[in-house]
Amino acid sequence: MTQTDGDPVPEPPAPTLLSGQAPLGLWEGLAAQVEAHGFTLKQVPDADAIGGANGITDFSTHEVCVRSDMDEAAQVKTLAHELGHVMLHSPEARSGDETATRDAVLHRGIAEVEAESVALMIGAAHGLDTSAYTIPYVSSWASSVPGSEPVEVIQSTAERVRTTAVRVLDQLDTAQVGNGDPPGLDRTATASRAAPERHQQQVAEPQVVGL
């Protein structure tokens, strides 16, 4: 007899949009780097304009779009995420990086973990806590990668994330409060909060990635 009684399995927490103001000058600094990589930055009125996402990076048109109906903190965090995609996952960025080609292109989950982790570090360096959005988002995507435990996905991307975040931070003239490592960050604990296993599918090389 199958046991069907008991408390329901709790739903994993959903990402929560950040509220409040953005760190002074951070939007402008990130926007300049997006444009320096040859991408046009556009602000769109709402999520409906970009298929329900908060932001997208379109490699075919070299456009980055961020919805403008969020608080400043959410907008700048989203822009940092999209800059992560530009620097790590565009065809130009991947041309000399076999690891990126093998991993991020094989599964979008790895690309999303990398981009959002870059945003986490950029936020942390400016005193902006993105964990309410980042931890559920990263955990969910990390759990979607077939053949890997979530902690393995996060650990395998850590060095690429750190290197990319440092490159971004080094080019900013904003006031920074650290090197991007969030206080008390435990990557193993973050991964252990991953959502339950869901439908898993390898995806073809994306032309558009969103948040």
Side-chain angles (χ1 to χ4, degrees), residues 85-109:
H85 279 308
V86 167
M87 295 179 66
L88 287 166
H89 308 131
S90 67
E92 295 85 356
R94 293 196 310 267
S95 61
D97 191 336
E98 294 181 0
T99 300
T101 302
R102 183 178 64 248
D103 294 342
V105 172
L106 285 177
H107 199 279
R108 183 182 169 191

Side-chain angles (χ1 to χ4, degrees), residues 51-194:
N54 296 328
I56 62 168
T57 297
D58 190 328
F59 299 134
S60 63
T61 63
H62 278 67
E63 290 181 342
V64 168
C65 299
V66 176
R67 54 183 279 211
S68 60
D69 62 338
M70 304 183 291
D71 280 5
E72 286 184 2
Q75 290 186 51
V76 80
K77 198 280 304 177
T78 300
L79 181 57
H81 175 109
E82 302 306 331
L83 177 57
H85 279 308
V86 167
M87 295 179 66
L88 287 166
H89 308 131
S90 67
E92 295 85 356
R94 293 196 310 267
S95 61
D97 191 336
E98 294 181 0
T99 300
T101 302
R102 183 178 64 248
D103 294 342
V105 172
L106 285 177
H107 199 279
R108 183 182 169 191
I110 295 173
E112 294 301 328
V113 167
E114 290 181 338
E116 186 63 18
S117 298
V118 168
L120 172 74
M121 293 190 69
I122 293 170
H126 293 84
L128 179 64
D129 182 3
T130 73
S131 58
Y133 193 99
T134 297
I135 289 178
Y137 188 91
V138 166
S139 296
S140 179
W141 278 109
S143 71
S144 77
V145 179
S148 298
E149 293 296 322
V151 68
E152 294 173 341
V153 175
I154 293 174
Q155 289 175 340
S156 69
T157 61
E159 183 56 26
R160 280 168 46 76
V161 166
R162 187 197 67 80
T163 300
T164 303
V166 168
R167 286 172 58 199
V168 173
L169 294 171
D170 283 349
Q171 296 180 60
L172 294 172
D173 58 7
T174 49
Q176 298 177 26
V177 297
N179 62 1
D181 289 330
L185 175 65
D186 183 336
R187 292 184 180 277
T188 302
T190 300
S192 70
R193 301 176 194 175

